[in-house]
Amino acid sequence: MQRLIQIALMLLIPCHAVFTPCHLAWSGDWPQSASEALVTAANQFLDRLVDGEFEPAVATFDNTMAAAMPPDKLRETWQRLLLAYGALESRGRAYDERAAVYHIIYVPCQFTRRALDLKLVFNQQQQIAGLFFVPPKSDRQYRSPAYVDAAAFGETEVHIGNDPWKLPGTLAVPRGEGPFPAMVLVHGSGPNDRDETVGANKPFKDLGQGLATRGIVTLRYDKRTKVHAARMIASPDPLTVKQETVDDVMHAVRFLRDQPQVDPKHIFVTGHSLGGYLVPRIADHDVDGLIAGYIVLAGSTRPTEDLMWEQVNYILNLDGELSAADEDHLAALKRKLDRLKSDDLESAPTTEIILGAAAAYWLDLRGYQPASEAKRIKRPLYVLQGERDYQVTLTDFANWQEALASRDDVEFKCYKDLNHLFITGH
């Protein structure tokens, strides 16, 4: 296992989404004058965000988008963006592209702390069917890493799980005679695709293909909250991390066990960020003992709401002072975080959304202590951390170390120059 997890870490690339994806759906032909009209519509939409006119902004959504992101949620999304990156200072000339039957407009935006492109996906009726904030175009050019040898493995499109939650994925299998050890890659927070695409980065594609180059089968798949967002919103069952992540990890493990190229005694799970945080939950659901070991990459150990407060304060204080707008944002965030910790959260309406999730989601994680609960895991663990990580910090790494110090089948590794994405940065 030690060699396997060392290879996994050596190949890790960043993975953290900076966008807010929503559902897309329609088909048909485009009117000739679409580009000019949609560029105007995209700039008008951005004007409404800046002016705080969220109801008129939502009026431009299609039905699925309007259900997924009502005015209050759009306001919250915009405010969180401003918290992270500062005020919108300028915008550039919009550009467009076609993706199958979709027409996509990008508006380059310069915020105080970084540049992002507003990405709006329009349907044939010129309604907004998708909303994203993505890195600038120049930062979105993917390049395969040098350690990937495409001749050393083959990839197959697969599906894991069962209807109605079946998920598409990619199975990478080394060439040659097996059976081979195998790895399931578990996403961080947000509706990630199978590659954990963020701008030019496709960390799970890099990691999956890199491991396959070195003789390890890998399985990566699109997250349920990406593929089935509309169905999950409409479902009467409250969303928890079990539906978001854990169930599909177990489907992935069982899928690998059924593959003739896989050594069923050597199936491992690697989780980054939220995926690492949930390793004890995943282990609890492995009642048949199918998983041979776990890798925790920047997995937090503290309540999510505490990390949110810590992260936002860090970002807002980077320039050494808080503006009046920053203080207002912090006050608004504090009210929501206090709501998450309140005694009456259990009686909250099922429709109430707090910081992007319903009360049931937060209640499910109340009292969850990953480091302590990891003591029950009867499999080897490898816990890794970047010292420059401000999202999950050395405090969390120390908590893992303290809780698991007596285990001789647990190893720890800290990288001085790496951040939450396991790259050199801040």
Side-chain angles (χ1 to χ4, degrees):
M1 171 159 178
Q2 177 63 26
R3 176 178 176 271
L4 179 64
I5 54 187
Q6 285 178 338
I7 292 173
L9 236 294
M10 192 161 47
L11 302 180
L12 186 68
I13 305 289
C15 48
H16 180 70
V18 296
F19 49 81
T20 304
C22 295
H23 181 71
L24 314 175
W26 72 267
S27 63
D29 297 324
W30 283 100
Q32 293 295 319
S33 60
S35 293
E36 183 178 347
L38 296 182
V39 165
T40 299
N43 277 290
Q44 289 174 342
F45 179 82
L46 182 57
D47 288 339
R48 289 179 176 130
L49 293 183
V50 173
D51 294 338
E53 298 175 354
F54 300 105
E55 290 189 11
V58 169
T60 64
F61 290 169
D62 71 0
N63 291 337
T64 304
M65 270 287 294
M69 186 165 286
D72 286 349
K73 187 170 183 180
L74 180 60
R75 176 186 292 107
E76 180 180 302
T77 299
W78 178 247
Q79 289 176 344
R80 290 175 69 181
L81 187 77
L82 296 179
L83 277 172
Y85 302 116
L88 177 64
E89 295 184 339
S90 62
R91 73 184 74 179
R93 183 180 179 85
Y95 61 98
D96 70 332
E97 68 179 31
R98 306 291 177 92
V101 294
Y102 303 109
H103 199 140
I104 304 170
I105 304 296
Y106 294 87
V107 182
C109 299
Q110 179 61 57
F111 294 89
T112 303
R113 299 185 184 93
R114 71 160 296 172
L116 293 171
D117 284 359
L118 167 63
K119 175 182 177 181
L120 294 174
V121 183
F122 288 88
N123 65 18
Q124 190 179 21
Q125 291 73 41
Q126 300 192 17
Q127 298 170 314
I128 294 174
L131 164 63
F132 306 76
F133 281 93
V134 300
K137 185 176 183 179
S138 60
D139 295 342
R140 299 199 303 270
Q141 306 303 313
Y142 173 74
R143 296 178 182 176
S144 182
Y147 53 73
V148 170
D149 179 2
F153 63 93
E155 289 192 330
T156 305
E157 290 295 297
V158 298
H159 286 84
I160 67 164
N162 305 307
D163 291 330
W165 306 113
K166 189 176 291 185
L167 300 174
T170 300
L171 181 70
V173 180
R175 301 200 186 281
E177 294 187 11
F180 303 101
M183 182 83 74
V184 176
L185 305 180
V186 185
H187 325 73
S189 60
N192 289 293
D193 66 14
R194 71 192 70 182
D195 298 328
E196 280 205 328
T197 302
V198 183
N201 299 309
K202 294 181 179 289
F204 275 11
K205 181 175 183 177
D206 294 345
L207 183 55
Q209 293 185 344
L211 289 170
T213 296
R214 302 187 183 208
I216 300 166
V217 173
T218 58
L219 176 59
R220 60 191 197 271
Y221 53 90
D222 294 341
K223 199 171 176 182
R224 188 184 298 198
T225 48
K226 174 180 175 60
V227 179
H228 300 297
R231 181 178 287 116
M232 297 184 83
I233 291 169
S235 174
D237 299 324
L239 173 69
T240 67
V241 291
K242 181 176 184 293
Q243 293 84 11
E244 181 189 12
T245 297
V246 177
D247 285 348
D248 295 322
V249 175
M250 294 312 304
H251 285 310
V253 169
R254 293 188 183 97
F255 175 89
L256 284 176
R257 187 175 176 82
D258 291 337
Q259 304 308 304
Q261 310 98 321
V262 170
D263 178 352
K265 295 183 179 180
H266 292 90
I267 299 174
F268 300 86
V269 167
T270 292
H272 174 257
S273 197
L274 175 70
Y277 170 75
L278 293 177
V279 157
R281 288 281 180 95
I282 296 167
D284 285 345
H285 282 76
D286 182 24
V287 294
D288 296 321
L290 305 180
I291 301 171
Y294 299 87
I295 303 171
V296 177
L297 305 173
S300 63
T301 60
R302 293 171 288 159
T304 302
E305 57 268 27
D306 291 351
L307 267 67
M308 286 182 179
W309 181 251
E310 189 174 276
Q311 291 167 11
V312 172
N313 271 277
Y314 173 85
I315 292 170
L316 293 181
N317 281 283
L318 283 175
D319 58 5
E321 60 181 355
L322 294 176
S323 67
D326 290 339
E327 291 177 348
D328 288 343
H329 285 312
L330 282 175
L333 177 62
K334 183 65 163 58
R335 288 192 294 270
K336 292 175 181 178
L337 296 179
D338 288 344
R339 175 75 170 131
L340 294 182
K341 293 181 176 293
S342 67
D343 293 335
D344 64 345
L345 188 62
E346 293 184 13
S347 60
T350 56
T351 56
E352 181 181 0
I353 302 298
I354 308 168
L355 293 172
Y361 186 94
W362 300 110
L363 288 169
D364 176 60
L365 295 174
R366 183 172 282 184
Y368 176 55
Q369 298 180 323
S372 178
E373 295 184 26
K375 296 176 183 178
R376 302 196 306 268
I377 299 176
K378 306 301 183 183
R379 292 289 188 271
L381 288 139
Y382 195 21
V383 183
L384 302 112
Q385 178 71 34
E387 288 190 23
R388 299 181 71 179
D389 188 346
Y390 73 85
Q391 293 169 270
V392 176
T393 70
L394 290 174
T395 297
D396 298 281
F397 186 64
N399 288 343
W400 290 108
Q401 288 179 304
E402 181 179 359
L404 301 171
S406 63
R407 296 269 298 267
D408 59 9
D409 60 348
V410 178
E411 295 192 37
F412 304 92
K413 179 70 174 180
C414 195
Y415 293 87
K416 181 178 180 180
D417 297 326
L418 303 187
N419 62 13
H420 184 63
L421 309 180
F422 284 87
I423 60 172
T424 301
H426 58 273

